[in-house]
Amino acid sequence: MSRTSKPLITIENISKSYGGVQALSKVCLNILPGEVHGLCGENGAGKSTLIKCLAGVVSPETGTITVDGKPLSHGDIHATEAAGIAVIHQESTAFLDLDLVENLFVGREIKKYGWLNRRAMERQALAVMHRLDVTLDLHTPLREFSIAQRQMVEMARACLRDCRLLIMDEPTASLSARETKTLLGLVKQLRESGVSVLYVSHRLEEIAELCDRVTVFRDGRLVATTPIDQLDRNQLIGQMVGREINALTRREEHAGQTDEVRASITGLYSRGSFSDISFEVRAGEILGIGGLVGAGRSEVARAIFGADRYDQGEIKIDGASLKKGSIQAAIEAGIAMVPEDRQHQGLILPMSVSENLSLTILTEITRHRLIHHGHETAQVQHLMRRLAVKAANAKMEAASLSGGNQQKVVLGKWLAIKPKFLILDEPTRGVDVAAKAEIHRLIRELTEAGMATLIMTSDLPELLTLSDRIQVMCEGRIAGQLDGATATEEQVMRLAFPRSEAQLT
């Protein structure tokens, strides 16, 4: 971190509200040159709103932001870019139908004689991808990339700009351990080169490793800014939530589990995605699926739910074969799925919280082809209370919620149908420690009541905490099974890595 006491960014008395909810209240903050500044807080604490103010996406109602002492125009994205501020958002802002190169240079294309200079853009794209130690096809549409790969493209796009402040909002939420290591190394390189980084993360171990100072928000207010060497994990959590959080401990072995096989997957095969996938999930059991990003976990989940067709194999629910490639058949059989990509696959963002929560129960709340709003309101309010969704009211657009609250709405939408078999793909991605504890508690409660649960997660502590059994995937196959009560992170990772790479460690 730079020894200079003159801040690069100074934020004074910034306030912003949405529909009566005070997202930020008189926030004051400074970021020093060459500093990695951590920003922590529960979902809905105001972190994303501050980022939007810095990025020029929204205008604060009061207060000022200066860069090197010069005022920054509010609500002006171009002024933000000109000041050297770049943002990597929690949710990908990629253009899915454009290829990698086009995404990197959209809005700032290189031209020669008035024509696009594709060759020059490809050279720069290769250079920045090499810097990030990422190998991706430059000509592939972003739609064909995984969430993790799209996030790496976002990082590359930010790095192409000569930025002075790089804002990173949950950058590792969808990354594998290897990709996360690469990212953290890059952040350290940026700090050494004098770039300031505002690092927003719920992963406290990353905050401890990277950050020079940490600022904590709670309910739209700044609680404290503290040098990292004067702050331990418990103090940080206490500042974030303002109350005691029960430790996330391993689930009591086989709590609620029966011998009744709820879901049986046999010989599932999909060319290019996965092969010979076989397992059973019993009522009252949590089966965890671990593995690296790209191992095929999400593809298996989508195949079971009918979102993707598969070439061979059989899926049975309560002994009855499930029709291949039919989401409707899966729902009718009692299957629900919370997808990894909540914004594109889990929610209809322009619709309200109420409308999103009601999507799966329209037949229940409809009378004579009209929605009975009394029934809808009762169901929605019950789900919002149960999941502690933070929203001014149920009529707010889902797009206006924080990432963690959006995730709760996706989960609530499916819990409304009282599923027999729940599939969760990265259930707490981008969710704060308190919300994670709430979601874990709910998963355990539902499972112990007899629901079968399948969890795909890159979060190793989460995998070990929740699972009765753990199956680990590697390169599209199941590499092995572990007992959830005794499994360790090292055992999971040894199975997750291909043999050739595991031998090098």
Side-chain angles (χ1 to χ4, degrees):
M1 182 176 66
S2 173
R3 297 297 179 184
T4 179
S5 59
K6 184 179 179 181
L8 171 67
I9 306 291
T10 301
I11 298 165
E12 293 186 344
N13 295 316
I14 288 291
S15 295
K16 178 67 180 177
S17 61
Y18 296 101
V21 175
Q22 195 70 38
L24 291 174
S25 179
K26 298 181 179 179
V27 168
C28 297
L29 175 66
N30 64 66
I31 302 170
L32 303 178
E35 172 187 36
V36 179
H37 194 117
L39 183 58
C40 296
E42 293 187 83
N43 293 115
K47 307 184 301 297
S48 295
T49 301
L50 180 69
I51 290 171
K52 290 175 182 177
C53 289
L54 282 168
V57 176
V58 302
S59 297
E61 291 152 2
T62 65
T64 60
I65 301 172
T66 61
V67 181
D68 269 343
K70 300 176 182 178
L72 184 68
S73 298
H74 293 329
D76 188 338
I77 295 174
H78 296 296
T80 293
E81 292 181 351
I85 299 174
V87 184
I88 299 175
H89 294 279
Q90 178 179 344
E91 302 293 344
S92 173
T93 56
F95 294 88
L96 299 183
D97 294 317
L98 301 183
D99 67 21
L100 189 153
V101 174
E102 291 164 338
N103 267 277
L104 290 183
F105 289 92
V106 66
R108 52 192 301 273
E109 295 84 356
I110 299 175
K111 297 183 179 181
K112 187 175 183 180
Y113 307 124
W115 297 89
L116 287 179
N117 191 339
R118 177 81 186 193
R119 184 172 298 178
M121 291 191 290
E122 288 182 355
R123 281 198 303 268
Q124 291 192 28
L126 283 172
V128 73
M129 299 306 283
H130 177 73
R131 180 184 178 189
L132 292 173
D133 193 24
V134 176
T135 302
L136 294 173
D137 182 16
L138 301 183
H139 308 105
T140 297
L142 267 287
R143 185 176 300 282
E144 298 182 22
F145 289 156
S146 68
I147 295 291
Q149 290 169 330
R150 293 177 199 171
Q151 187 73 347
M152 300 302 282
V153 173
E154 293 276 355
M155 292 167 51
R157 184 163 62 182
C159 290
L160 272 173
R161 301 171 183 170
D162 187 19
C163 66
R164 303 177 67 195
L165 172 67
L166 179 60
I167 302 171
M168 309 181 82
D169 188 6
E170 295 290 349
T172 64
S174 300
L175 304 188
S176 67
R178 183 192 308 169
E179 290 166 328
T180 295
K181 184 177 180 181
T182 299
L183 171 66
L184 300 188
L186 174 62
V187 174
K188 293 172 183 176
Q189 290 178 29
L190 292 172
R191 173 170 53 193
E192 291 301 315
S193 65
V195 176
S196 300
V197 178
L198 182 62
Y199 195 88
V200 184
S201 180
H202 294 306
R203 296 186 175 181
L204 304 187
E205 66 277 8
E206 293 176 8
I207 294 291
E209 178 179 348
L210 286 177
C211 297
D212 300 296
R213 293 188 297 158
V214 181
T215 290
V216 175
F217 279 9
R218 186 169 71 238
D219 298 329
R221 298 178 181 274
L222 189 150
V223 175
T225 298
T226 313
I228 194 64
D229 56 7
Q230 298 177 19
L231 194 64
D232 64 29
R233 178 185 176 87
N234 290 335
Q235 290 173 320
L236 182 55
I237 292 174
Q239 290 180 356
M240 287 169 57
V241 302
R243 62 187 186 277
E244 184 177 350
I245 293 295
N246 294 326
L248 300 179
T249 57
R250 290 198 187 218
R251 183 169 182 251
E252 184 180 341
E253 188 174 3
H254 307 306
Q257 184 178 329
T258 70
D259 292 330
E260 178 188 356
V261 175
R262 178 57 43 81
S264 175
I265 287 80
T266 307
L268 220 60
Y269 166 75
S270 177
R271 181 176 298 177
S273 297
F274 52 80
S275 178
D276 195 25
I277 302 298
S278 299
F279 56 80
E280 293 178 341
V281 190
R282 292 173 171 79
E285 179 186 31
I286 298 176
L287 176 63
I289 305 289
L292 304 177
V293 172
R297 294 170 305 165
S298 295
E299 289 79 3
V300 169
R302 289 175 56 81
I304 295 171
F305 190 57
D308 293 339
R309 295 187 67 86
Y310 51 91
D311 299 305
Q312 296 176 14
E314 185 178 31
I315 300 169
K316 291 184 178 180
I317 303 298
D318 289 336
S321 293
L322 187 67
K323 182 180 178 181
K324 182 187 296 186
S326 171
I327 293 176
Q328 186 60 40
I331 293 173
E332 290 174 357
I335 303 177
M337 178 179 164
V338 175
E340 176 186 18
D341 186 351
R342 59 176 167 255
Q343 291 219 333
H344 292 101
Q345 299 172 1
L347 294 169
I348 302 177
L349 293 176
M351 289 174 62
S352 70
V353 172
S354 179
E355 290 167 328
N356 273 279
L357 285 171
S358 303
L359 280 174
T360 59
I361 54 171
L362 288 176
T363 55
E364 295 180 28
I365 61 174
T366 300
R367 297 290 184 272
H368 307 296
R369 298 185 181 181
L370 295 174
I371 292 176
H372 190 295
H373 292 292
H375 292 168
E376 179 186 31
T377 299
Q379 290 272 23
V380 167
Q381 288 180 349
H382 168 72
L383 289 168
M384 291 181 70
R385 284 195 302 269
R386 188 177 189 185
L387 293 162
V389 176
K390 291 183 179 179
N393 57 67
K395 300 304 179 184
M396 289 182 65
E397 285 188 5
S400 69
L401 299 183
S402 66
N405 282 297
Q406 288 180 354
Q407 186 75 344
K408 290 179 182 180
V409 172
V410 179
L411 180 58
K413 176 182 73 174
W414 290 112
L415 292 184
I417 68 170
K418 300 178 178 62
K420 296 188 292 184
F421 180 36
L422 177 62
I423 303 171
L424 299 160
D425 192 0
E426 303 290 359
T428 59
R429 181 173 68 89
V431 170
D432 64 67
V433 64
K436 178 180 286 191
E438 291 172 4
I439 291 173
H440 283 196
R441 177 194 55 77
L442 184 61
I443 292 169
R444 286 171 164 169
E445 176 186 306
L446 292 166
T447 306
E448 287 167 13
M451 186 177 72
T453 306
L454 181 65
I455 293 180
M456 279 82 168
T457 177
S458 303
D459 185 334
L460 285 178
E462 177 170 75
L463 185 70
L464 299 173
T465 294
L466 288 174
S467 305
D468 294 309
R469 289 183 296 130
I470 298 171
Q471 299 221 2
V472 183
M473 288 189 65
C474 176
E475 297 183 328
R477 293 177 176 269
I478 294 176
Q481 178 172 292
L482 300 168
D483 184 346
T486 59
T488 65
E489 292 190 17
E490 180 182 2
Q491 289 174 324
V492 173
M493 293 309 295
R494 284 190 178 278
L495 289 171
F497 277 99
R499 285 180 178 270
S500 59
E501 293 192 29
Q503 290 168 356
L504 299 176
T505 60

